[in-house]
Each structure stands twice: as structure tokens, then as C-alpha cells.
Amino acid sequence: MSKKSRRTVQPAYVTLRDLPGTRVMFWVVDACPYCGERHLHPAGNLRSADPSERLGEVTAPCDPERRYDLQLPPKPQRKKGKEARRKARRGGRLEADPDEW
């Protein structure tokens, strides 16, 4: 690993989970960018806290000298196949000869 990659803050994708039987929520990092293990970060009370306030740069529990950025995973892109087929069908109808009708 180069020196530059050691200094930069790595993104860590999280999911929000609650602790059964309590009102506590946690951000769960399933795969730490440094050690690959699962880490938990408190997100607040289930009823009164806004868990998105706890996202951002935090210290990695596996190595206190390193930090990572808690982020929500990116949304998957929509498939464009169906829309392209619809446009092709509509375009074919509109380009037909007006004398055919």
C-alpha cells in the first residue's frame, strides 16, 4: 500500500439496524475497508434521534490511527431496456405513412 492511500479517508458503506428489545440504532459496516471485519457505530435513539447525523468521518475501531467515511451505499441504476423498446415502438407508429390510415 502506498503512503498516499494510508492517509486518505476510505469510504465505508453502512446499513441501519436496531438492537432487538431496545431503542438503540447502529450503523453497521459489513466490510471494513482496512481489515474486512464487521464494525458497529451507534446511531442514536430509535424514537428521537436522526441517524443520518452520525454519518461522516469516524475513527476505525480496528486501527485508531485510521479514519473512514460512513456512507450509504449507492442506489442501483435503473434498467433502460424497457423504455428504449417503448420509444422504438412509438417512433415506428409516428413515422408511418399518413396515407395508410
Side-chain angles (χ1 to χ4, degrees):
M1 199 183 312
S2 66
K3 289 181 182 179
K4 185 177 182 180
S5 64
R6 280 187 252 149
R7 289 189 306 245
T8 59
V9 177
Q10 299 292 321
Y13 298 116
V14 294
T15 55
L16 185 63
R17 297 192 187 146
D18 60 338
L19 189 62
T22 66
R23 296 180 183 164
V24 180
M25 295 183 296
F26 289 97
W27 286 115
V28 179
V29 178
D30 286 324
C32 174
Y34 302 119
C35 69
E37 297 293 321
R38 177 180 284 178
H39 299 302
L40 301 174
H41 297 277
N45 189 336
L46 188 62
R47 294 188 182 182
S48 63
D50 181 17
S52 62
E53 293 176 355
R54 301 285 181 125
L55 293 175
E57 197 171 312
V58 296
T59 304
C62 57
D63 187 3
E65 295 178 3
R66 291 182 166 175
R67 299 180 66 79
Y68 54 63
D69 189 20
L70 298 179
Q71 298 177 359
L72 293 174
K75 293 183 180 179
Q77 293 183 353
R78 291 179 55 192
K79 294 182 180 178
K80 298 179 183 177
K82 187 173 183 179
E83 292 175 10
R85 288 191 303 268
R86 280 186 182 170
K87 285 182 183 180
R89 282 196 312 254
R90 289 179 188 155
R93 274 192 245 150
L94 296 175
E95 295 174 5
D97 291 331
D99 295 334
E100 281 185 25
W101 295 96

